Amino acid sequence: MIQIISLHAMAWCKPCQQFAPVMEAIRKEEKYNVFNFRVYDIDTDEGFEICEKYHVRSVPTTLITEEDGEEIYKIVGATSKANVEQILDSVLKQDKERQKENKTDNNAKEE
């Protein structure tokens, strides 16, 4: 399952406060239910560790990763809902194509 990791600092980051409703609206959209959404405050130990792992230097940052943590895409800064949707739609399309290829490969191996 593809993960969306949202990193922010809601206590002091104005762009984070402005971007939070965008991500909340996207999280509620049915077509994006295939993603595992995780939200972290960078001012916590867990958030700090994730920032270090993915070399996050500013917030808000939204990471799109494979289930194993491999980074697929990184959105740095606040952006529009339409832009985030365009990125997520592209990620979904690529994931479906990859799954289709894997299925074709597995069928070929069985024959």
Side-chain angles (χ1 to χ4, degrees):
M1 174 180 278
I2 295 173
Q3 302 180 92
I4 297 176
I5 302 171
S6 183
L7 297 157
H8 58 75
M10 294 299 283
W12 52 266
C13 173
K14 293 294 182 199
C16 296
Q17 294 166 6
Q18 294 169 341
F19 188 57
V22 170
M23 289 307 294
E24 184 61 24
I26 287 172
R27 190 175 68 83
K28 290 179 180 179
E29 288 191 30
E30 188 174 329
K31 74 176 181 176
Y32 300 124
N33 284 345
V34 296
F35 294 107
N36 177 18
F37 281 84
R38 296 169 42 202
V39 178
Y40 296 95
D41 190 317
I42 64 163
D43 292 328
T44 65
D45 289 341
E46 192 173 27
F48 179 77
E49 290 171 11
I50 291 170
C51 286
E52 283 202 331
K53 178 179 178 179
Y54 291 102
H55 308 287
V56 172
R57 300 292 176 245
S58 63
V59 288
T61 293
T62 304
L63 302 164
I64 303 169
T65 71
E66 296 285 354
E67 191 170 2
D68 65 2
E70 180 182 343
E71 185 179 312
I72 299 171
Y73 201 93
K74 182 186 287 185
I75 303 168
V76 179
T79 189
S80 69
K81 183 175 184 256
N83 189 40
V84 175
E85 289 175 326
Q86 183 180 12
I87 292 165
L88 295 181
D89 290 343
S90 175
V91 168
L92 283 173
K93 182 180 177 185
Q94 290 171 0
D95 188 54
K96 284 181 183 180
E97 289 170 0
R98 191 179 69 234
Q99 287 178 9
K100 188 177 178 181
E101 281 180 18
N102 289 344
K103 195 176 218 180
T104 302
D105 290 345
N106 287 338
N107 288 341
K109 288 178 185 176
E110 290 176 3
E111 293 174 3

